[in-house]
Amino acid sequence: MSIRLMMAPNNYPYTHGWGVYPQLATELGKRRRSAKTMLGFIDGTPGVKPSDWRYSALILEGAFKSVAGESSRDWFTLCNHLGQPSRALAHEIFEHLRTLKELDPRSSEAGRTFDLLEDLALPDMLQYFRETTSAEDPRPVDVREGWCHVLWTHETPDRLLVGAVHGTSVEVVSMLDHRSPGVRHGVLAAWHVEDPDWAASQIVRTFGKSLDQLGLMQLPAAEGIPAIKLLTENAIWKTIVKSPWHVEAVEPPCGEAADTYSDVVSDLSL
């Protein structure tokens, strides 16, 4: 969902929180219940208690904070189930939820905050989350055709895997894990592109190396991250696909604009 221009992790994803791990059952349950409560409150469903509503706002605040900061081990999975809002959009929603939980839910100020959240597509995201995580009849997560991504493995934390392929980072990581049993791969950054073949050609042109059978190339982290920034600024950026929830007015939070770009749904999952 976003392009993360940071040092590569140097330990297991359980420590650093960068990966494609499933949501824990306890977290998924809390998030599903909170999404249902929040939707009920927005729709005026009878019986939604203010205490339940405040708890739900707190849980959802944490969820969107995780997506905005890519700061939990399941951030990619969670972002996928929310329809892949960009980091900037998730941060905007997080800030409003943080304000909302301190207000009287029936106050005029809370009403204005709800209007802002509706403009940012929060109800649509929560409904999408419930549909894609339903145990009885899960709605397939929206998968677009092409992805650029930056992957890593705890075996070689000083090197990155960079590429563009037809398929998601979840599929690529699963394939890599299957090909190398016992080795864990994670997502450092990712974003959707309209034309993965063209994006791949630009990656080859930028780095001057060939891609492997999966469409990836291995790069030293110290050299790769600055070049990836240049790549997205000059070559790939124009083909990035925006998130279904993308809002033109949303800007990256102050201080992050220099080192991260809001993507798309396209912002990866890495």
Side-chain angles (χ1 to χ4, degrees), residues 66 72 75 102 152 165 217 222 226 242:
S66 170
S72 69
W75 69 266
E102 305 298 334
W152 66 278
V165 301
M217 67 172 61
K242 294 186 182 300

Side-chain angles (χ1 to χ4, degrees), residues 6-8 157-160 219-226:
M6 300 178 63
M7 289 303 294
D158 58 333
R159 302 191 70 78
L160 303 176
L219 297 170
E223 299 175 15
I225 290 178

Side-chain angles (χ1 to χ4, degrees), residues 2-10 18 70 149-152 156-163 187-191 203 206-207 209 217-234 236 258-261 270:
S2 58
I3 303 164
R4 192 182 192 113
L5 300 172
M6 300 178 63
M7 289 303 294
N10 56 14
W18 294 322
E70 296 173 358
H149 35 231
V150 183
L151 310 177
W152 66 278
T156 54
D158 58 333
R159 302 191 70 78
L160 303 176
L161 293 171
V162 180
V187 177
L188 189 64
W191 57 101
I203 292 173
T206 298
F207 296 108
K209 297 183 179 181
M217 67 172 61
Q218 194 174 93
L219 297 170
E223 299 175 15
I225 290 178
I228 290 164
K229 180 178 180 180
L230 182 64
L231 179 73
T232 55
E233 287 176 341
N234 299 330
I236 299 298
D259 65 358
T260 188
Y261 297 83
L270 278 164

Side-chain angles (χ1 to χ4, degrees), residues 205-219:
R205 178 181 176 184
T206 298
F207 296 108
K209 297 183 179 181
S210 60
L211 303 173
D212 65 14
Q213 291 181 333
L214 292 180
L216 303 172
M217 67 172 61
Q218 194 174 93
L219 297 170

Side-chain angles (χ1 to χ4, degrees), residues 49-259:
K49 302 176 182 177
S51 58
D52 294 339
W53 173 83
R54 287 194 175 89
Y55 174 77
S56 297
L58 179 64
I59 296 299
L60 295 174
E61 173 194 337
F64 280 95
K65 182 179 181 181
S66 170
V67 172
E70 296 173 358
S71 56
S72 69
R73 63 189 293 271
D74 64 353
W75 69 266
F76 176 70
T77 303
L78 173 60
C79 195
N80 252 3
H81 284 304
L82 287 169
Q84 299 175 355
S86 69
R87 289 187 69 190
L89 182 54
H91 188 274
E92 187 88 350
I93 292 172
F94 154 69
E95 291 286 2
H96 287 313
L97 288 170
R98 183 168 63 174
T99 300
L100 192 62
K101 76 175 190 295
E102 305 298 334
L103 302 175
D104 180 336
R106 294 175 177 81
S107 67
S108 58
E109 189 176 354
R112 288 192 292 272
T113 303
F114 273 121
D115 289 341
L116 291 170
L117 287 169
E118 289 198 56
D119 290 342
L120 295 173
L122 176 66
D124 295 325
M125 290 186 207
L126 297 183
Q127 184 60 36
Y128 188 88
F129 180 81
R130 287 188 54 77
E131 291 174 358
T132 57
T133 58
S134 169
E136 296 77 23
D137 185 23
R139 170 179 169 179
V141 172
D142 185 21
V143 176
R144 285 167 174 73
E145 192 158 339
W147 286 80
C148 286
H149 35 231
V150 183
L151 310 177
W152 66 278
T153 171
H154 71 263
E155 277 203 334
T156 54
D158 58 333
R159 302 191 70 78
L160 303 176
L161 293 171
V162 180
V165 301
H166 294 266
T168 70
S169 295
V170 172
E171 295 167 334
V172 174
V173 166
S174 297
M175 198 176 307
L176 289 168
D177 284 349
H178 180 74
R179 189 169 68 175
S180 305
V183 177
R184 287 291 188 183
H185 294 82
V187 177
L188 189 64
W191 57 101
H192 277 119
V193 291
E194 295 174 340
D195 187 343
D197 294 329
W198 183 84
S201 71
Q202 297 306 298
I203 292 173
V204 170
R205 178 181 176 184
T206 298
F207 296 108
K209 297 183 179 181
S210 60
L211 303 173
D212 65 14
Q213 291 181 333
L214 292 180
L216 303 172
M217 67 172 61
Q218 194 174 93
L219 297 170
E223 299 175 15
I225 290 178
I228 290 164
K229 180 178 180 180
L230 182 64
L231 179 73
T232 55
E233 287 176 341
N234 299 330
I236 299 298
W237 185 251
K238 65 181 180 181
T239 190
I240 285 178
V241 180
K242 294 186 182 300
S243 167
W245 322 125
H246 180 80
V247 178
E248 292 295 342
V250 173
E251 296 294 337
C254 182
E256 290 189 18
D259 65 358

